[in-house]
Amino acid sequence: MSILRGETTDPEPVDRAVGQRLRSLRRARGLSLEAVASSTGLSIGFISQVERGLSSPSLRVLALLADTLQIGIGGLFEPGPEAPDPDPIVVFRKDRPELQLWRTGITKQLLTPPGGTQGMSLFHMVLKPGASTGDALFSHEGEEAGLVLEGRLTLVVEARTLELAEGDSFRFESRRPHRFANPGTHDRTIVLWVNVLGSAQARTP
């Protein structure tokens, strides 16, 4: 299980594991920190901190890194230590890899098997009251869709602000600048979220 936690000066093993995953993917593609910084607009120091588990990246940062590494966000989840299934089909509830973005109040559980190709990733996303991806719009490769299972979701796509309630669904190209939030002050929001990449980007990590 991989977890991204909030900023800390003493990273826990799980935080270190996420950073190591990012570093491993970067090195496997022959990319230097300078190249990743140039591609994403992030500083070399910040990327280094993320790789060492010292900083908690936002979804915007994860999307930038995933694009540069030519994978989906699902590809950032590291397979568990168990013996790998040669034909992964099922993810049991107890084994779901998870990203906890504490600063933003968002938790993402990967429902599709980690590793392998990441052409499509299915997530169970929980947003605490007031949780948000931030005020800035962001974009990345691919397409996404979702279904609000519980609570309310404010979805902004370019100049449109859309208010969704339980049972409402959506779909849009991820290249369109967007952001989202739980507008409630007391209740959480749960969304079944799908990210899909084009075939050119869906590669083996």
Side-chain angles (χ1 to χ4, degrees):
M1 178 177 294
S2 298
I3 302 174
L4 286 179
R5 300 186 184 276
E7 289 187 357
T8 174
T9 57
D10 183 20
E12 298 181 23
V14 288
D15 301 315
R16 230 177 261 116
V18 172
Q20 289 171 355
R21 174 69 169 167
L22 289 167
R23 181 178 295 170
S24 175
L25 290 168
R26 174 177 62 79
R27 289 178 173 174
R29 283 153 177 75
L31 296 172
S32 64
L33 285 172
E34 291 80 2
V36 174
S38 176
S39 175
T40 60
L42 303 170
S43 71
I44 294 174
F46 176 71
I47 297 170
S48 177
Q49 284 188 328
V50 170
E51 289 192 352
R52 288 181 290 149
L54 299 175
S55 291
S56 175
S58 64
L59 279 178
R60 171 183 171 274
V61 169
L62 287 177
L64 287 170
L65 292 171
D67 274 1
T68 298
L69 296 171
Q70 297 184 313
I71 56 174
I73 289 179
L76 300 179
F77 289 76
E78 190 171 13
E82 301 81 9
D85 185 340
D87 183 23
I89 295 175
V90 174
V91 175
F92 294 101
R93 183 171 184 172
K94 64 181 179 62
D95 298 326
R96 291 178 188 172
E98 185 175 273
L99 288 174
Q100 291 187 11
L101 305 169
W102 287 14
R103 286 194 299 170
T104 59
I106 298 173
T107 298
K108 299 183 70 168
Q109 289 185 332
L110 180 63
L111 303 181
T112 42
T117 60
Q118 294 295 332
M120 181 183 74
S121 295
L122 179 64
F123 299 97
H124 179 274
M125 189 181 302
V126 178
L127 293 83
K128 293 181 179 179
S132 169
T133 56
D135 294 333
L137 300 174
F138 67 100
S139 61
H140 51 95
E141 295 296 327
E143 189 174 7
E144 47 203 290
L147 170 66
V148 180
L149 300 177
E150 181 181 316
R152 295 182 295 146
L153 180 74
T154 297
L155 176 64
V156 179
V157 181
E158 295 179 331
R160 299 189 64 187
T161 298
L162 307 164
E163 300 294 343
L164 288 77
E166 182 177 327
D168 295 335
S169 54
F170 59 88
R171 175 184 176 184
F172 61 92
E173 291 185 3
S174 304
R175 290 185 179 184
R176 301 178 68 181
H178 59 277
R179 62 182 176 87
F180 56 88
N182 174 1
T185 56
H186 298 95
D187 300 321
R188 68 179 183 176
T189 296
I190 300 178
V191 184
L192 186 65
W193 203 293
V194 182
N195 286 105
V196 180
L197 293 181
S199 57
Q201 262 203 298
R203 301 184 180 183
T204 302

